[in-house]
Amino acid sequence: MNWSIFEGLLSGVNKYSTAFGRIWLSLVFIFRVLVYLVTAERVWSDDHKDFDCNTRQPGCSNVCFDEFFPVSHVRLWALQLILVTCPSLLVVMHVAYREVQEKRHREAHGENSGRLYLNPGKKRGGLWWTYVCSLVFKASVDIAFLYVFHSLYPKYILPPVVKCHADPCPNIVDCFISKPSEKNIFTLFMVATAAICILLNLVELIYLVSKRCHECLAARKAQAMYTGHHPHGTTSSCKQDDLLSGDLIFLGSDSHPPLLPDRPRDHVKKTIL
């Protein structure tokens, strides 16, 4: 599998990620993808060939191998890495969509007609929700695969000898796994890195939610102070509170506020005239 494609696509995620997201991405590429490509595939490349059972019954070793290894470790890890990295691509696609919308708006209304987004890569509105959902999905995928590994291989440990009694084996036979100690080391390493990635995703999720709550409270406080100084002023909704913090994109939706002119003084002159 050519993982360089994913590396090229995910390289742009750093521009839109927090510090925790950058650490997560580095951990995925260095300690998960790189270890998988360099060592894991080679360690498990001969698992079927060197799976030896103390019987000459035709087909017995194949049946016992399939019973103990219903899914190969490397295939599960490959599927896990694909599912974990795909949500980050959605964030890049969402930012690209915003940039296209901004470009179309300028082409349709001119360069001096205002902007739809002050910063298309800033996590506000729909992009904030996309980023948060990607964190939840990535953590859920890692947790699900850790549960699957634990169900197939209790405590994530491969025993050196397994006992098998399945047709066409004539009786209970002993089967021997190739390089069980080496496989256990890499299995525990991949499990540990997945657990660290889950922790980083949860920390980043808490950071984003707490930061957004703090901004919303600050906007409400500023609005309350503004209303106190202007008792006859109209009240605004929670979406309009975001304008007080200088954001054009709202938390609840991707709906756009009224466009602001690039030259406020010219706009005032036109209004007076």
Side-chain angles (χ1 to χ4, degrees), residues 91-109:
V91 177
V92 178
M93 292 172 62
H94 198 154
V95 175
Y97 170 77
R98 283 186 164 190
E99 293 175 348
V100 171
Q101 290 292 101
E102 180 69 28
K103 182 179 179 181
R104 289 178 178 176
H105 172 74
R106 291 184 180 181
E107 292 176 353
H109 300 89

Side-chain angles (χ1 to χ4, degrees), residues 159-172:
V161 181
V162 295
K163 296 186 179 295
C164 176
H165 186 196
D167 294 334
C169 298
N171 49 28
I172 299 178

Side-chain angles (χ1 to χ4, degrees), residues 56-70:
R56 296 298 180 182
Q57 178 69 28
C60 181
S61 60
N62 291 333
V63 172
C64 293
F65 180 83
D66 183 71
E67 181 179 0
F68 190 74
F69 291 101

